[in-house]
Amino acid sequence: MVPAAGLRDTLLDHAIAMLEAGEAEPGIRALARAAGVSAMAPYRHFADKAALMAAVAERGFAMFLAALSAADAEGSDAERLVAQGGAYVDFACAHPALFRAMFTCGAAAPKQPDTPAFAILTRRVAALVGEDDPVAALGCWAIVHGLATLALDGGVTLASAQVRAVLRTYVAGIVRGV
């Protein structure tokens, strides 16, 4: 039996595992079975399936931010931005179902680039160009998200070196002001 205090986290762990195992969106009853709790126990933490998936996306964004923050830890501003982009694509490839859910789960999906994960990117772009540059930041986000999507949905095999070469080319362009 899972203690009530840890049940929410346990349910989220199981929901993410179910997503990663290929279940499109885990149902509340299936989640309860997987966690070994009563069918009603998850409803103490999630009003419905949409609330569960929003919480899954929120957990995913926290994991994503941790990966981007770790990549942003050392090196020059350019190296950090390239490392962030590589971490973005690596995260998507390591957690494809979670990554897709993060960007499609209703209220949890970013409607505009205002998430903490995007903020770390905008700070690094600003450090590179000497000021806030929303166009350069959006371009950088579009490139890494596009690369991630190509890797997941486009059937394109992208080597880490290829991803980083594309990102270095973009970073060199924004530094020069091209």
Side-chain angles (χ1 to χ4, degrees):
M1 186 63 124
V2 177
L7 181 57
R8 185 177 196 279
D9 285 335
T10 298
L11 291 168
L12 287 173
D13 291 343
H14 281 287
I16 290 170
M18 292 166 77
L19 272 173
E20 294 297 340
E23 195 163 323
E25 282 190 12
I28 300 264
R29 288 178 194 259
L31 180 59
R33 278 192 304 277
V37 297
S38 75
M40 295 309 291
Y43 288 103
R44 291 185 210 129
H45 301 281
F46 311 106
D48 54 23
K49 187 175 177 177
L52 167 65
M53 293 309 296
V56 164
E58 185 178 302
R59 167 81 71 86
F61 275 110
M63 294 166 57
F64 188 48
L65 178 59
L68 296 178
S69 296
D72 192 58
E74 55 187 69
S76 69
D77 289 326
E79 291 167 338
R80 288 177 181 201
L81 188 56
V82 169
Q84 276 186 47
Y88 193 111
V89 176
D90 291 347
F91 182 90
C93 291
H95 306 282
L98 176 60
F99 183 80
R100 286 185 185 102
M102 288 163 48
F103 286 93
T104 59
C105 286
K111 304 289 187 266
Q112 57 188 15
D114 62 356
T115 66
F118 186 73
I120 194 169
L121 180 143
T122 58
R123 283 192 304 273
R124 189 58 52 217
V125 169
L128 271 170
V129 300
E131 64 183 344
D132 276 344
D133 188 339
V135 172
L138 183 59
C140 193
W141 186 30
I143 288 170
V144 295
H145 196 78
L147 289 169
T149 302
L150 281 171
L152 296 180
D153 300 333
V156 176
T157 302
L158 295 172
S160 181
Q162 289 174 298
V163 169
R164 281 156 179 77
V166 168
L167 297 172
R168 280 193 295 278
T169 300
Y170 182 76
V171 168
I174 64 172
V175 169
R176 286 193 315 261
V178 175

